[in-house]
Amino acid sequence: GAVVSQHPSWVICKSGTSVKIECRSLDFQATTMFWYRQFPKQSLMLMATSNEGSKATYEQGVEKDKFLINHASLTLSTLTVTSAHPEDSSFYICSARREGVLTGELFFGEGSRLTVL
Amino acid sequence: GQQVMQIPQYQHVQEGEDFTTYCNSSTTLSNIQWYKQRPGGHPVFLIQLVKSGEVKKQKRLTFQFGEAKKNSSLHITATQTTDVGTYFCAGPPGGANNLFFGTGTRLTVIP
């Protein structure tokens, strides 16, 4: 199966700092990647759709200036949490779909657990 | 916006018992997907259903897509301890290519 790698797996930062999370598709090209957020024992909430070479599409209620998404290549998307605060602490998971496939399964990264002190 | 609800939220079963989780969407879905997330892990794709009324089987798992393409179910026969995890349904609203996840059902299997 396709492999999606996320880095870092966990990060602890001080309030007010910015944190960058990387999502890479290792053995396939992904025109579209998705960023989700998951609180403990809850579902995955779609934050944004990351499109290679263009601006991300954010879901309602997600601040685009706070959660900066960049999809510079077909294998890499990054999520930067700017000026992080304790309420941003969460599990962030990226996922990708194979290039050229509009529907179909998503391949998920291992997730990044962010703790903001 | 689209809402995808699942019931029950939690289910504890004795090993060997059957288990079913139900998924209901507020909007019609072009397809429905099911994922399993083990504790501490990430979601892993199980299956995709596309056609109205479609039924698919994977060993002890049976997946069903409703006629109106707004609901789905996952049934596990004779649960095993390896079935432990949270089961999510997910679907794209209309013709969109993004995926909204259901609320999930957390399954605990008691040996």
Side-chain angles (χ1 to χ4, degrees), chain B residues 55-81:
Chain B
V55 177
K56 285 188 176 181
K57 290 191 175 184
Q58 286 181 350
K59 298 182 179 178
R60 295 179 293 105
L61 278 62
T62 302
F63 304 84
Q64 199 165 12
F65 199 9
E67 294 290 341
K69 302 185 79 172
K70 295 178 71 174
N71 56 68
S72 181
S73 66
L74 157 60
H75 179 81
I76 302 178
T77 304
T79 55
Q80 300 174 358
T81 54

Side-chain angles (χ1 to χ4, degrees), chain B residues 16-31:
Chain B
E17 292 181 339
D18 292 355
F19 159 76
T20 304
T21 171
Y22 299 92
C23 171
N24 290 284
S25 170
S26 59
T27 61
T28 301
L29 303 170
S30 58
N31 67 80

Side-chain angles (χ1 to χ4, degrees), chain A residues 4-73:
Chain A
V4 175
S5 176
Q6 216 174 312
H7 178 82
S9 299
W10 56 271
V11 57
I12 301 172
C13 69
K14 293 182 178 180
S15 185
T17 60
S18 295
V19 174
K20 179 185 282 189
I21 301 170
E22 292 188 348
C23 178
R24 294 180 184 273
S25 55
L26 298 185
D27 54 358
F28 68 100
Q29 293 186 326
T31 311
T32 305
M33 291 185 174
F34 304 92
W35 286 95
Y36 290 86
R37 181 175 182 175
Q38 186 176 36
F39 290 107
K41 299 183 180 181
Q42 293 190 23
S43 185
L44 288 81
M45 300 300 297
L46 179 64
M47 298 176 65
T49 301
S50 172
N51 303 297
E52 187 265 337
S54 64
K55 292 182 179 180
T57 304
Y58 290 82
E59 294 302 313
Q60 190 173 8
V62 178
E63 299 176 57
K64 62 180 181 180
D65 294 331
K66 181 165 187 62
F67 299 99
L68 301 179
I69 292 173
N70 184 278
H71 194 155
S73 76

